[in-house]
Coordinates of all heavy atoms in Angstrom, one line a residue:
M22 N 112.0 106.4 103.3 CA 111.1 106.2 102.2 C 109.8 105.6 102.8 O 109.8 104.5 103.2 CB 111.7 105.2 101.2 CG 112.9 105.8 100.4 SD 113.4 104.6 99.2 CE 115.1 105.0 99.0
A23 N 108.8 106.3 102.6 CA 107.5 105.8 103.0 C 106.9 104.9 102.0 O 107.0 105.2 100.8 CB 106.5 106.9 103.3
S24 N 106.3 103.8 102.4 CA 105.6 102.9 101.4 C 104.1 103.0 101.6 O 103.6 103.4 102.6 CB 106.1 101.4 101.6 OG 105.7 101.0 102.9
Q25 N 103.5 102.7 100.5 CA 102.0 102.8 100.5 C 101.4 101.4 100.9 O 102.2 100.5 101.2 CB 101.5 103.2 99.1 CG 101.9 104.6 98.7 CD 101.3 105.0 97.4 OE1 100.7 104.3 96.7 NE2 101.5 106.3 97.1
A26 N 100.1 101.3 100.9 CA 99.4 100.1 101.4 C 99.7 98.9 100.5 O 100.1 99.1 99.3 CB 97.9 100.4 101.4
R27 N 99.6 97.7 101.0 CA 99.8 96.5 100.2 C 98.7 96.4 99.2 O 97.5 96.7 99.5 CB 99.7 95.3 101.2 CG 100.8 95.2 102.1 CD 100.7 94.0 103.0 NE 101.7 94.0 104.1 CZ 101.6 93.3 105.2 NH1 100.5 92.5 105.4 NH2 102.5 93.4 106.1
T28 N 99.0 95.9 98.0 CA 98.1 95.7 97.0 C 98.4 94.4 96.3 O 99.5 94.0 96.2 CB 98.2 96.9 95.9 OG1 98.1 98.1 96.5 CG2 97.2 96.7 94.8
A29 N 97.3 93.7 95.9 CA 97.5 92.4 95.2 C 97.1 92.5 93.8 O 96.3 93.4 93.4 CB 96.5 91.4 95.9
L30 N 97.8 91.7 93.0 CA 97.5 91.7 91.5 C 97.5 90.2 91.1 O 98.1 89.4 91.7 CB 98.4 92.5 90.7 CG 99.9 92.1 90.6 CD1 100.1 91.0 89.6 CD2 100.7 93.4 90.1
I31 N 96.7 89.9 90.0 CA 96.7 88.6 89.4 C 97.8 88.5 88.4 O 98.0 89.4 87.6 CB 95.3 88.4 88.7 CG1 94.2 88.4 89.8 CG2 95.3 87.1 87.9 CD1 92.8 88.4 89.2
V32 N 98.5 87.4 88.5 CA 99.5 87.1 87.5 C 98.9 86.2 86.4 O 98.4 85.1 86.7 CB 100.8 86.4 88.2 CG1 101.8 86.0 87.1 CG2 101.4 87.3 89.2
S33 N 99.0 86.6 85.2 CA 98.6 85.8 84.0 C 99.5 86.2 82.9 O 99.4 87.3 82.3 CB 97.2 86.1 83.7 OG 96.8 85.2 82.6
A34 N 100.5 85.4 82.6 CA 101.5 85.6 81.6 C 101.7 84.4 80.7 O 101.6 83.3 81.2 CB 102.8 86.0 82.2
A35 N 101.9 84.6 79.4 CA 102.0 83.4 78.5 C 103.0 83.6 77.4 O 103.2 82.7 76.6 CB 100.6 83.0 78.0
S36 N 103.5 84.8 77.2 CA 104.4 85.1 76.1 C 105.8 84.8 76.4 O 106.3 85.2 77.5 CB 104.3 86.6 75.7 OG 103.0 86.9 75.3
S37 N 106.5 84.2 75.5 CA 108.0 84.0 75.7 C 108.6 85.4 75.8 O 108.3 86.3 75.0 CB 108.5 83.2 74.6 OG 109.9 83.0 74.7
G38 N 109.5 85.6 76.8 CA 110.1 86.9 76.9 C 109.4 87.8 77.9 O 108.9 87.3 78.9
D39 N 109.3 89.1 77.6 CA 108.8 90.1 78.5 C 107.3 90.0 78.7 O 106.5 89.8 77.7 CB 109.1 91.5 78.0 CG 110.6 91.8 78.0 OD1 111.3 91.3 78.9 OD2 111.0 92.5 77.1
N40 N 106.8 90.1 79.9 CA 105.4 90.1 80.3 C 105.3 91.1 81.4 O 105.8 90.9 82.6 CB 104.9 88.8 80.8 CG 104.9 87.7 79.7 OD1 103.9 87.5 79.1 ND2 106.0 87.0 79.5
T41 N 104.7 92.3 81.1 CA 104.6 93.3 82.1 C 103.5 92.9 83.1 O 102.4 92.6 82.8 CB 104.1 94.7 81.5 OG1 105.2 95.1 80.6 CG2 103.9 95.8 82.5
L42 N 103.9 92.9 84.4 CA 103.0 92.6 85.5 C 102.4 93.9 86.1 O 101.2 93.9 86.5 CB 103.7 91.8 86.6 CG 104.2 90.5 86.3 CD1 104.9 89.8 87.5 CD2 103.2 89.6 85.7
L43 N 103.2 94.9 86.1 CA 102.7 96.2 86.7 C 103.4 97.3 86.0 O 104.7 97.3 85.9 CB 103.0 96.2 88.2 CG 102.4 97.4 89.0 CD1 100.8 97.4 88.9 CD2 102.8 97.3 90.5
A44 N 102.7 98.3 85.5 CA 103.2 99.4 84.8 C 104.0 100.3 85.8 O 103.8 100.3 87.0 CB 102.1 100.3 84.2
A45 N 105.0 101.0 85.3 CA 105.8 101.9 86.1 C 104.9 103.0 86.7 O 104.0 103.4 86.1 CB 106.9 102.5 85.2
V46 N 105.3 103.4 87.9 CA 104.7 104.5 88.5 C 105.7 105.6 88.8 O 106.7 105.3 89.5 CB 104.0 104.1 89.9 CG1 103.3 105.3 90.6 CG2 103.0 102.9 89.6
T47 N 105.6 106.7 88.2 CA 106.6 107.8 88.2 C 106.9 108.2 89.7 O 106.0 108.4 90.5 CB 106.2 109.0 87.5 OG1 105.9 108.6 86.1 CG2 107.2 110.1 87.5
G48 N 108.2 108.1 90.0 CA 108.7 108.5 91.3 C 108.6 107.4 92.4 O 108.9 107.7 93.6
Y49 N 108.2 106.2 92.0 CA 108.1 105.1 93.0 C 108.8 103.9 92.5 O 108.9 103.6 91.3 CB 106.6 104.7 93.2 CG 105.8 105.8 93.9 CD1 105.2 106.8 93.3 CD2 105.7 105.7 95.3 CE1 104.5 107.8 93.9 CE2 104.9 106.6 96.0 CZ 104.3 107.7 95.3 OH 103.6 108.6 96.0
K50 N 109.2 103.1 93.5 CA 109.7 101.7 93.2 C 108.5 100.8 93.5 O 107.7 101.1 94.3 CB 110.8 101.3 94.2 CG 112.0 102.2 94.1 CD 113.0 101.8 95.2 CE 114.1 102.7 95.4 NZ 115.1 102.3 96.4
I51 N 108.5 99.6 92.9 CA 107.5 98.6 93.1 C 108.3 97.5 94.0 O 109.2 96.9 93.5 CB 107.0 97.9 91.8 CG1 106.4 99.0 91.0 CG2 106.1 96.8 92.1 CD1 106.1 98.6 89.5
R52 N 107.8 97.3 95.2 CA 108.4 96.4 96.2 C 107.5 95.1 96.2 O 106.4 95.2 96.6 CB 108.6 97.0 97.5 CG 109.2 96.0 98.5 CD 109.4 96.7 99.9 NE 110.5 97.7 99.7 CZ 110.7 98.7 100.6 NH1 109.9 98.8 101.7 NH2 111.7 99.5 100.4
V53 N 108.1 94.0 95.9 CA 107.3 92.7 95.9 C 107.4 92.1 97.3 O 108.5 91.9 97.8 CB 107.8 91.8 94.8 CG1 107.1 90.4 94.9 CG2 107.6 92.4 93.4
L54 N 106.3 91.9 97.9 CA 106.2 91.4 99.3 C 105.9 89.9 99.3 O 106.3 89.2 100.3 CB 105.1 92.1 100.0 CG 105.2 93.6 100.0 CD1 103.9 94.2 100.7 CD2 106.4 94.1 100.7
S55 N 105.2 89.3 98.4 CA 105.0 87.9 98.3 C 104.5 87.6 96.9 O 104.0 88.4 96.2 CB 103.9 87.5 99.3 OG 102.6 88.0 99.0
Y56 N 104.6 86.3 96.5 CA 104.0 85.9 95.2 C 103.8 84.3 95.2 O 104.5 83.6 96.0 CB 104.9 86.3 94.1 CG 106.3 85.8 94.0 CD1 106.7 84.7 93.4 CD2 107.3 86.6 94.7 CE1 108.0 84.3 93.3 CE2 108.6 86.1 94.6 CZ 109.0 85.0 94.0 OH 110.3 84.6 93.9
T57 N 102.9 83.9 94.4 CA 102.7 82.5 94.1 C 102.6 82.4 92.5 O 101.9 83.2 91.9 CB 101.4 82.0 94.7 OG1 101.5 82.2 96.1 CG2 101.1 80.6 94.3
L58 N 103.3 81.5 92.0 CA 103.3 81.2 90.6 C 103.1 79.7 90.3 O 103.6 78.9 91.0 CB 104.6 81.6 89.9 CG 105.1 83.1 90.1 CD1 106.5 83.3 89.5 CD2 104.1 84.0 89.4
V59 N 102.4 79.4 89.3 CA 102.2 78.0 88.8 C 102.2 78.0 87.3 O 101.6 78.9 86.7 CB 101.0 77.3 89.4 CG1 99.7 78.0 89.0 CG2 101.0 75.8 89.2
A60 N 102.8 77.1 86.7 CA 103.0 77.0 85.2 C 102.2 75.8 84.7 O 102.1 74.8 85.3 CB 104.4 76.9 84.8
A61 N 101.7 76.0 83.4 CA 101.0 74.9 82.8 C 102.0 73.8 82.2 O 101.6 72.7 82.0 CB 100.2 75.4 81.6
A62 N 103.2 74.2 82.0 CA 104.3 73.3 81.6 C 105.6 73.8 82.2 O 105.7 74.9 82.7 CB 104.4 73.2 80.1
T63 N 106.6 73.0 82.1 CA 107.9 73.4 82.6 C 108.4 74.6 81.9 O 108.4 74.6 80.6 CB 108.9 72.3 82.6 OG1 108.4 71.2 83.4 CG2 110.3 72.7 83.1
V64 N 108.8 75.7 82.6 CA 109.4 76.9 82.0 C 110.2 77.6 83.1 O 110.0 77.5 84.3 CB 108.2 77.8 81.5 CG1 107.4 78.3 82.7 CG2 108.7 78.9 80.6
T65 N 111.2 78.4 82.6 CA 111.9 79.3 83.5 C 111.3 80.6 83.6 O 110.7 81.1 82.6 CB 113.4 79.4 83.1 OG1 113.4 80.0 81.8 CG2 114.1 78.1 83.1
V66 N 111.3 81.3 84.7 CA 110.8 82.6 84.9 C 111.8 83.4 85.7 O 112.6 82.9 86.5 CB 109.4 82.6 85.7 CG1 108.4 81.8 84.9 CG2 109.6 82.1 87.1
A67 N 111.8 84.7 85.5 CA 112.6 85.6 86.3 C 111.9 87.0 86.4 O 111.3 87.4 85.4 CB 114.0 85.8 85.7
F68 N 112.0 87.6 87.5 CA 111.4 89.0 87.7 C 112.5 90.0 87.3 O 113.7 89.8 87.5 CB 111.0 89.2 89.1 CG 109.8 88.5 89.6 CD1 109.9 87.3 90.2 CD2 108.5 89.1 89.3 CE1 108.7 86.6 90.6 CE2 107.4 88.4 89.7 CZ 107.5 87.2 90.4
E69 N 112.1 91.1 86.6 CA 113.0 92.1 86.2 C 112.5 93.5 86.5 O 111.2 93.7 86.5 CB 113.2 92.0 84.6 CG 113.9 90.7 84.2 CD 114.0 90.6 82.7 OE1 113.2 91.3 82.0 OE2 114.8 89.9 82.2
S70 N 113.4 94.4 86.6 CA 113.0 95.8 86.8 C 113.1 96.4 85.3 O 114.2 96.5 84.8 CB 114.1 96.5 87.7 OG 113.8 97.9 87.8
A71 N 112.0 96.7 84.7 CA 111.8 97.1 83.3 C 111.9 96.0 82.4 O 112.4 94.9 82.7 CB 112.9 98.2 83.0
A72 N 111.3 96.1 81.2 CA 111.2 95.1 80.2 C 112.6 94.8 79.7 O 113.4 95.8 79.4 CB 110.3 95.5 79.0
S73 N 113.0 93.6 79.7 CA 114.4 93.2 79.3 C 115.4 93.9 80.2 O 116.5 94.3 79.7 CB 114.7 93.4 77.8 OG 113.8 92.6 77.1
G74 N 115.0 94.2 81.4 CA 115.8 95.1 82.3 C 116.7 94.3 83.2 O 117.1 93.2 83.0
T75 N 117.0 95.0 84.4 CA 117.8 94.5 85.4 C 117.1 93.3 86.1 O 116.0 93.4 86.5 CB 118.1 95.5 86.4 OG1 118.7 96.7 85.8 CG2 119.1 95.0 87.5
A76 N 117.9 92.2 86.2 CA 117.3 91.0 86.9 C 117.1 91.3 88.4 O 118.0 91.8 89.0 CB 118.3 89.8 86.7
L77 N 115.9 90.9 88.9 CA 115.6 91.0 90.3 C 115.7 89.7 91.0 O 115.9 89.6 92.2 CB 114.2 91.6 90.5 CG 114.0 93.0 89.9 CD1 112.6 93.4 90.1 CD2 114.9 94.0 90.6
T78 N 115.6 88.6 90.2 CA 115.8 87.2 90.6 C 116.6 86.5 89.6 O 116.7 87.0 88.4 CB 114.5 86.5 90.8 OG1 113.9 86.3 89.5 CG2 113.6 87.2 91.7
G79 N 117.2 85.4 89.9 CA 117.8 84.5 88.9 C 116.6 83.8 88.2 O 115.5 83.9 88.6
D80 N 117.0 83.0 87.2 CA 116.0 82.2 86.5 C 115.5 81.1 87.5 O 116.4 80.4 88.1 CB 116.6 81.5 85.3 CG 116.8 82.4 84.1 OD1 116.2 83.5 84.1 OD2 117.5 82.1 83.2
M81 N 114.2 80.9 87.6 CA 113.6 79.9 88.4 C 112.8 79.0 87.5 O 112.0 79.4 86.7 CB 112.7 80.6 89.4 CG 113.4 81.6 90.4 SD 112.3 82.4 91.5 CE 111.5 83.6 90.4
T82 N 113.1 77.7 87.7 CA 112.4 76.7 86.9 C 111.1 76.3 87.6 O 111.1 75.8 88.7 CB 113.3 75.5 86.6 OG1 114.5 75.8 86.0 CG2 112.5 74.4 85.8
L83 N 110.0 76.5 86.9 CA 108.7 76.1 87.4 C 108.4 74.8 86.7 O 108.5 74.6 85.5 CB 107.6 77.1 87.0 CG 107.7 78.5 87.6 CD1 106.6 79.4 87.2 CD2 107.9 78.5 89.1
I84 N 107.9 73.8 87.5 CA 107.5 72.5 87.0 C 105.9 72.5 86.8 O 105.2 73.1 87.7 CB 107.9 71.4 87.9 CG1 109.4 71.4 88.2 CG2 107.5 70.0 87.4 CD1 110.3 71.3 87.0
A85 N 105.4 72.0 85.7 CA 104.0 72.0 85.5 C 103.1 71.6 86.7 O 103.3 70.5 87.3 CB 103.6 71.0 84.3
G86 N 102.2 72.5 87.1 CA 101.3 72.2 88.1 C 101.8 72.3 89.5 O 101.1 72.1 90.5
V87 N 103.1 72.6 89.7 CA 103.7 72.7 91.0 C 103.9 74.1 91.4 O 104.7 74.8 90.8 CB 105.1 71.9 91.1 CG1 105.7 72.1 92.5 CG2 104.9 70.5 90.7
P88 N 103.1 74.6 92.4 CA 103.2 76.1 92.7 C 104.5 76.5 93.4 O 105.0 75.7 94.2 CB 102.0 76.3 93.6 CG 101.6 75.0 94.1 CD 102.1 73.9 93.2
L89 N 105.0 77.6 93.1 CA 106.1 78.3 93.8 C 105.4 79.3 94.7 O 104.8 80.3 94.2 CB 107.0 78.9 92.8 CG 108.1 79.8 93.4 CD1 109.0 79.1 94.4 CD2 108.9 80.5 92.3
V90 N 105.5 79.1 96.0 CA 104.9 80.0 97.0 C 106.0 80.7 97.8 O 106.7 80.0 98.5 CB 103.9 79.2 97.9 CG1 103.3 80.1 98.9 CG2 102.9 78.4 97.1
V91 N 106.0 82.0 97.7 CA 106.9 82.8 98.4 C 106.1 83.7 99.4 O 105.4 84.5 99.0 CB 107.8 83.7 97.5 CG1 108.8 84.5 98.2 CG2 108.6 82.8 96.5
P92 N 106.3 83.4 100.7 CA 105.4 84.0 101.7 C 105.7 85.5 101.9 O 106.7 86.0 101.5 CB 105.7 83.2 103.0 CG 107.1 82.7 102.8 CD 107.2 82.5 101.3
L93 N 104.7 86.1 102.5 CA 104.8 87.6 102.8 C 106.0 87.9 103.6 O 106.3 87.3 104.7 CB 103.5 88.0 103.6 CG 103.4 89.5 103.9 CD1 103.3 90.3 102.6 CD2 102.3 89.8 104.8
Q94 N 106.7 88.9 103.2 CA 107.9 89.5 103.9 C 107.7 91.0 103.9 O 107.8 91.6 102.8 CB 109.2 89.1 103.3 CG 110.4 89.6 104.0 CD 111.7 89.0 103.5 OE1 111.8 87.8 103.3 NE2 112.6 89.9 103.2
A95 N 107.4 91.6 105.0 CA 107.0 93.0 105.1 C 108.1 93.9 104.5 O 107.8 94.9 103.9 CB 106.7 93.4 106.5
E96 N 109.4 93.5 104.6 CA 110.5 94.3 104.1 C 110.6 94.1 102.6 O 111.3 94.9 101.9 CB 111.8 93.9 104.8 CG 111.9 94.1 106.2 CD 111.2 93.0 107.0 OE1 111.0 91.9 106.5 OE2 110.9 93.2 108.2
G97 N 110.0 93.1 102.0 CA 110.0 92.9 100.6 C 111.1 91.9 100.2 O 112.1 91.8 100.9
H98 N 110.9 91.2 99.1 CA 111.8 90.3 98.6 C 112.8 91.0 97.6 O 113.9 90.6 97.5 CB 111.1 89.1 97.9 CG 110.4 88.2 98.9 ND1 111.0 87.3 99.7 CD2 109.1 88.2 99.2 CE1 110.1 86.7 100.5 NE2 108.9 87.2 100.2
F99 N 112.2 91.9 96.8 CA 113.0 92.7 95.9 C 112.1 93.8 95.4 O 110.9 93.9 95.7 CB 113.4 91.8 94.7 CG 112.3 91.0 94.0 CD1 111.5 91.6 93.1 CD2 112.2 89.7 94.4 CE1 110.4 90.8 92.5 CE2 111.2 88.9 93.8 CZ 110.3 89.5 92.9
E100 N 112.8 94.8 94.7 CA 112.0 96.0 94.3 C 112.6 96.5 93.0 O 113.8 96.3 92.7 CB 112.0 97.1 95.3 CG 113.3 97.7 95.7 CD 113.2 98.6 96.9 OE1 112.3 98.5 97.7 OE2 114.1 99.4 97.0
T101 N 111.8 97.1 92.2 CA 112.3 97.7 90.9 C 113.1 99.0 91.1 O 113.1 99.5 92.3 CB 111.1 98.1 90.0 OG1 110.3 99.1 90.6 CG2 110.2 96.9 89.7
A102 N 113.7 99.5 90.1 CA 114.3 100.8 90.1 C 113.2 101.8 90.2 O 112.0 101.5 89.9 CB 115.2 101.0 88.9
V103 N 113.5 103.0 90.5 CA 112.5 104.1 90.5 C 111.9 104.3 89.1 O 112.7 104.3 88.2 CB 113.1 105.4 91.0 CG1 112.2 106.6 91.0 CG2 113.7 105.3 92.4
S104 N 110.6 104.4 89.1 CA 109.9 104.7 87.8 C 110.0 103.5 86.8 O 110.0 103.8 85.6 CB 110.3 106.0 87.2 OG 110.1 107.1 88.1
A105 N 110.3 102.3 87.2 CA 110.4 101.2 86.3 C 109.3 100.2 86.5 O 108.8 100.0 87.6 CB 111.8 100.4 86.6
L106 N 108.9 99.6 85.4 CA 107.8 98.6 85.5 C 108.3 97.3 86.1 O 109.5 97.0 86.1 CB 107.2 98.3 84.1 CG 108.0 97.8 83.0 CD1 108.2 96.3 83.1 CD2 107.4 98.1 81.7
L107 N 107.4 96.4 86.5 CA 107.7 95.1 87.0 C 107.5 94.1 85.9 O 106.3 94.0 85.4 CB 106.9 94.7 88.3 CG 107.2 93.4 88.9 CD1 108.6 93.2 89.3 CD2 106.2 93.1 90.0
N108 N 108.5 93.4 85.5 CA 108.4 92.5 84.4 C 108.6 91.0 84.8 O 109.4 90.8 85.7 CB 109.5 92.8 83.4 CG 109.4 92.1 82.1 OD1 108.4 92.1 81.4 ND2 110.4 91.3 81.8
L109 N 107.9 90.1 84.2 CA 108.1 88.7 84.4 C 108.6 88.1 83.1 O 107.9 88.1 82.1 CB 106.8 87.9 84.8 CG 107.0 86.4 85.2 CD1 107.9 86.3 86.4 CD2 105.7 85.8 85.4
E110 N 109.9 87.7 83.0 CA 110.5 87.1 81.8 C 110.3 85.6 81.8 O 110.6 84.9 82.8 CB 112.0 87.4 81.9 CG 112.8 86.9 80.7 CD 112.8 87.9 79.6 OE1 112.5 89.1 79.8 OE2 113.2 87.5 78.4
L111 N 109.6 85.1 80.7 CA 109.4 83.7 80.6 C 110.4 83.1 79.6 O 110.6 83.7 78.5 CB 108.0 83.4 80.1 CG 106.8 83.9 81.0 CD1 105.5 83.4 80.4 CD2 106.9 83.4 82.4
G112 N 110.9 81.9 79.9 CA 111.8 81.2 79.0 C 111.1 80.5 77.8 O 111.8 80.0 76.9
G113 N 109.8 80.5 77.8 CA 109.0 79.9 76.7 C 107.6 80.4 76.8 O 107.2 81.0 77.7
A114 N 106.8 80.1 75.7 CA 105.4 80.5 75.6 C 104.6 79.5 76.4 O 104.0 78.6 75.8 CB 105.0 80.6 74.2
V115 N 104.5 79.7 77.7 CA 103.8 78.8 78.6 C 103.0 79.6 79.5 O 103.4 80.6 80.0 CB 104.8 77.9 79.4 CG1 104.1 77.1 80.5 CG2 105.6 77.0 78.5
Q116 N 101.7 79.2 79.8 CA 100.9 80.0 80.7 C 101.4 79.9 82.1 O 101.6 78.8 82.6 CB 99.4 79.5 80.7 CG 98.5 80.2 81.6 CD 98.3 81.6 81.3 OE1 98.2 82.0 80.2 NE2 98.3 82.5 82.4
V117 N 101.7 81.0 82.7 CA 102.1 81.1 84.1 C 101.0 82.0 84.8 O 100.7 83.1 84.4 CB 103.5 81.7 84.3 CG1 103.8 81.9 85.8 CG2 104.5 80.8 83.6
S118 N 100.4 81.4 85.9 CA 99.4 82.1 86.6 C 99.7 82.2 88.1 O 100.6 81.6 88.6 CB 98.0 81.4 86.5 OG 97.7 81.2 85.1
G119 N 99.0 83.1 88.8 CA 99.2 83.2 90.2 C 98.8 84.5 90.7 O 97.9 85.2 90.2
H120 N 99.4 85.0 91.8 CA 99.1 86.3 92.4 C 100.4 86.8 93.0 O 101.3 86.1 93.3 CB 98.0 86.2 93.4 CG 98.2 85.2 94.5 ND1 98.8 85.5 95.6 CD2 97.8 83.9 94.6 CE1 98.9 84.4 96.4 NE2 98.3 83.4 95.8
L121 N 100.3 88.1 93.3 CA 101.5 88.8 93.8 C 101.0 90.0 94.7 O 100.0 90.6 94.4 CB 102.3 89.4 92.6 CG 103.6 90.2 92.8 CD1 104.5 89.9 91.7 CD2 103.3 91.7 92.9
T122 N 101.7 90.2 95.8 CA 101.4 91.3 96.7 C 102.6 92.3 96.6 O 103.8 91.8 96.7 CB 101.2 90.8 98.1 OG1 100.2 89.8 98.2 CG2 100.8 92.0 99.0
Y123 N 102.3 93.6 96.5 CA 103.3 94.6 96.4 C 102.9 95.8 97.1 O 101.8 96.0 97.5 CB 103.6 94.9 94.9 CG 102.5 95.6 94.2 CD1 102.6 97.0 94.1 CD2 101.4 95.0 93.7 CE1 101.5 97.7 93.5 CE2 100.4 95.7 93.1 CZ 100.5 97.0 93.0 OH 99.4 97.7 92.4
C124 N 103.9 96.7 97.3 CA 103.6 98.1 97.7 C 104.4 99.0 96.9 O 105.5 98.6 96.3 CB 103.8 98.3 99.2 SG 105.5 98.1 99.8
L125 N 104.0 100.3 96.8 CA 104.8 101.3 96.1 C 105.7 102.0 97.2 O 105.2 102.3 98.3 CB 103.9 102.3 95.4 CG 103.1 101.7 94.3 CD1 102.2 102.8 93.7 CD2 103.9 101.1 93.2
V126 N 106.9 102.3 96.8 CA 107.8 103.0 97.8 C 108.3 104.3 97.1 O 108.9 104.2 96.0 CB 109.0 102.1 98.1 CG1 110.0 102.8 99.1 CG2 108.6 100.8 98.7
A127 N 108.1 105.4 97.8 CA 108.5 106.7 97.2 C 110.0 106.8 97.1 O 110.7 106.2 98.0 CB 108.0 107.8 98.1
A128 N 110.5 107.4 96.1 CA 111.9 107.5 95.8 C 112.5 108.5 96.8 O 111.9 109.4 97.3 CB 112.2 107.9 94.4

């Protein structure tokens, strides 16, 4: 499976529940290579493959103002299913900001 170039996106989510970070790309998986998240208040977050979909991480508790920094890993930390969006599930209506690096991987 050939992967495409690394791409960065800004994370800005505030709705309790589903927050789409990246729309699905037909025929590709979204592979997350690194991310940084920081919350305005304590909240749990989890990455998912599709809205209300398959968990890619467990629930992670973010503490207000304390960044969660996950460094670059070329092989990726996790990836969505083929043709599935990348979702950030929030445990409450709290602003979560940061950035994420990903690449697309052909199915």
Side-chain angles (χ1 to χ4, degrees):
M22 291 185 207
S24 62
Q25 295 187 353
R27 295 178 189 162
T28 305
L30 65 80
I31 294 170
V32 173
S33 182
S36 297
S37 181
D39 294 327
N40 291 268
T41 298
L42 296 180
L43 188 61
V46 180
T47 303
Y49 288 88
K50 300 178 193 180
I51 301 166
R52 179 176 291 161
V53 174
L54 306 174
S55 69
Y56 60 93
T57 297
L58 301 174
V59 64
T63 299
V64 67
T65 59
V66 301
F68 287 96
E69 296 176 339
S70 178
S73 299
T75 303
L77 299 174
T78 67
D80 285 344
M81 300 177 283
T82 301
L83 299 180
I84 306 300
V87 179
L89 169 61
V90 179
V91 178
L93 182 69
Q94 181 172 311
E96 299 82 17
H98 293 281
F99 49 83
E100 61 189 23
T101 65
V103 176
S104 303
L106 64 80
L107 179 62
N108 187 61
L109 185 64
E110 180 90 16
L111 299 185
V115 172
Q116 179 63 42
V117 175
S118 302
H120 55 86
L121 178 144
T122 304
Y123 70 95
C124 66
L125 297 177
V126 180

